[in-house]
Structures are given as structure tokens and as C-alpha cells.
Amino acid sequence: MTQRQSLAPEPGPARSPKTFELVAGTLRKMIVDGRLKDGDFLPHESELMAQFQVSRPTLREAVRVLESERLVEVRRGSRTGARICVPGPEIVARPAGLILELSGATLADVMTARIAIEPAAAKLLAEVGTVNAHKEVKRLVDAIPDAWDAGELASASANFHRRIVELSGNATLAMIAGMLHEISERHTTAAVLAAENAVPQGQYDKLLRSYHRLTELVEARNGDGAETHWRRHMQNAAGALLKGYEKTKVRDIMD
């Protein structure tokens, strides 16, 4: 036997889950399956204790697990109990942003990731997006001029990019877009502020034409066209947004 082999730890027996973990797992599955919906309240403690045949401390430990996962909200002293809170991408956005900050990721890294996922999402949106999803894309584009007039173009643009991915129907891509949203919005806002609080009229007109073109391709269910157009749009946007921010790190924009 070699020294490496002799130092290898002996495999131990698998740990059996504790009772509160089993209860938490069952309740978690009920939330995932939709049997407990967002805004619902967990049944009264006495009902759950009888259902699971557990003590009050065990049940409360299970609820604390769900609370730590942000699946329930417990209002201390309230008689209503634990309220179901189905989380969105925001639940992982802040930890993910922190990891990017700690890793030294740059805004260029984030933009490269967005260029990888957004054109693919645009293709899905065109090909398999619902009629309501297509209508929302058009509504978002139609609202851009009002955002421009109100000085909120950066926020509206960042939201438009995020919604394209979310409306594509791909939950994994939507999660990634949600994770990157705050970084993208702050970056876009900083770039606009660097331009003395105004995007040049010609640049704005070009942006709006590009948004309208994407809407046309999506409504025509031209997936390849939507993907090609949005990749070109993203690459052009990267050139403008990263000007002066080529080496800026995520942690610098999030401070």
C-alpha cells in the first residue's frame, strides 16, 4: 500500500437526517410542488405537530431551516404563523455579486457573460415565447421614450435586458440574468452619469431603433434573426459601456 493510499480517510457511514430536517424537507417539497403557494401561511403548529408526529421544538427547528432558506417569513409574536415567500433571483443576487467582488471579476467579465446569454434568450423568446411575453416586450420598448424624458433611461434599459431573458421561458438563464441585474444597472447608470447625465440624441435614436427591431423579429418568431441582431446589439453596447471601464472591477461599481 502506498503512503497516499494509507493516508486516505476511511469512508464512514452516511449520516441519517434528523427529524427536523425530514420535516423541513417535506414542507420544502410542498412549496416547490405548489401545494403551498406564495403568500400562504403554514398550518397552525398544533396541526403540523399532529401531521408529522413531532414535538413543538422539532417543528420550530424545521421552520427555522425554511426561514434561513428564505422560503418562509416568521413574524415574531404574530398569531398568523409562518408565511410562504417564494424567492426570486434576488435571493442569490447579493451572494453572487459578493462572490464576483471577492474573485476580482471585472465589468468586462460580466458583459462577456451577458453577451453569451442574452442573444440565446432572444432566440428562445422569439421561437417559444408566449403571446403575452411578446406583448410585454413591445410595452417595454414603447415605454422607453418616457424613461428617456424622465432621465431614467439607464434603469429602463437594464430592466429591458433583464426581462428579455426572463420572458424567454428558460428559468436557468433568467436566474443568471437576475443575479447580474444590479451590477448591470449600476454599470449602465455610471456610464450615463459619466456622459454628463445625458445620452447623445443620436445614440438614443440608434438604441431605440435597435429595440424596435428586436420587437419586430420577436413578433415574427424569427429566432435566428433575433439572436443575430441582439448579439450585434450587445457587442456594440459593450463597446460603449466599457469605454473607460475596461479594467473596472465589480467591487468598484458596487461600493
Side-chain angles (χ1 to χ4, degrees):
M1 180 180 293
T2 65
Q3 182 179 10
R4 180 182 297 274
Q5 289 174 323
S6 65
L7 293 176
E10 291 293 331
R15 182 181 71 85
S16 298
K18 296 182 178 180
T19 304
F20 76 85
E21 294 173 326
L22 294 173
V23 174
T26 300
L27 292 172
R28 186 186 301 112
K29 190 174 190 305
M30 292 172 68
I31 296 171
V32 171
D33 291 344
R35 285 177 283 167
L36 289 172
K37 302 183 185 301
D38 189 42
D40 288 348
F41 286 91
L42 289 180
H44 193 274
E45 277 189 345
S46 59
E47 295 180 49
L48 292 173
M49 287 163 58
Q51 177 182 344
F52 293 112
Q53 294 293 296
V54 296
S55 65
R56 180 172 279 106
T58 295
L59 177 62
R60 290 184 174 179
E61 186 65 27
V63 172
R64 276 193 287 270
V65 170
L66 298 180
E67 187 179 17
S68 71
E69 297 172 345
R70 299 188 184 180
L71 290 175
V72 301
E73 178 184 54
V74 180
R75 295 184 178 180
R76 309 302 174 192
S78 171
R79 294 186 178 183
T80 55
R83 180 174 177 271
I84 307 301
C85 301
V86 176
E90 68 279 356
I91 195 173
V92 292
R94 180 58 65 178
L98 179 59
I99 291 172
L100 288 175
E101 291 182 56
L102 292 171
S103 68
T106 65
L107 294 180
D109 294 333
V110 174
M111 183 60 72
T112 297
R114 292 179 59 200
I115 292 174
I117 68 172
E118 287 194 30
K123 178 181 174 70
L124 287 172
L125 176 61
E127 294 180 345
V128 301
T130 65
V131 172
N132 286 337
H134 291 185
K135 288 180 179 178
E136 182 174 341
V137 171
K138 188 175 187 308
R139 284 196 300 270
L140 289 170
V141 173
D142 290 342
I144 291 294
D146 289 337
W148 159 264
D149 292 337
E152 299 173 352
L153 181 61
S155 178
S157 178
N159 182 58
F160 180 67
H161 281 261
R162 176 182 181 177
R163 289 301 288 155
I164 286 173
V165 184
E166 292 175 338
L167 293 169
S168 73
N170 186 292
T172 304
L173 291 180
M175 181 67 68
I176 297 172
M179 288 164 50
L180 298 178
H181 175 69
E182 185 178 1
I183 298 170
S184 302
E185 184 174 22
R186 289 198 182 200
H187 178 197
T188 303
T189 300
V192 170
L193 290 175
E196 298 181 353
N197 298 310
V199 174
Q201 182 70 46
Q203 185 177 335
Y204 164 73
D205 292 340
K206 184 178 180 181
L207 176 75
L208 194 58
R209 285 196 302 271
S210 181
Y211 284 0
H212 278 298
R213 179 55 180 159
L214 178 65
T215 301
E216 294 169 358
L217 292 166
V218 165
E219 289 182 338
R221 295 202 176 274
N222 183 345
D224 290 336
E227 181 178 27
T228 299
H229 172 74
W230 205 239
R231 178 171 290 106
R232 186 182 305 116
H233 173 96
M234 291 293 297
Q235 289 170 340
N236 291 337
L241 290 174
L242 290 174
K243 187 176 182 180
Y245 294 89
E246 293 86 352
K247 297 183 179 180
T248 301
K249 297 184 183 296
V250 170
R251 61 172 173 260
D252 297 326
I253 208 74
M254 296 299 288
D255 288 341

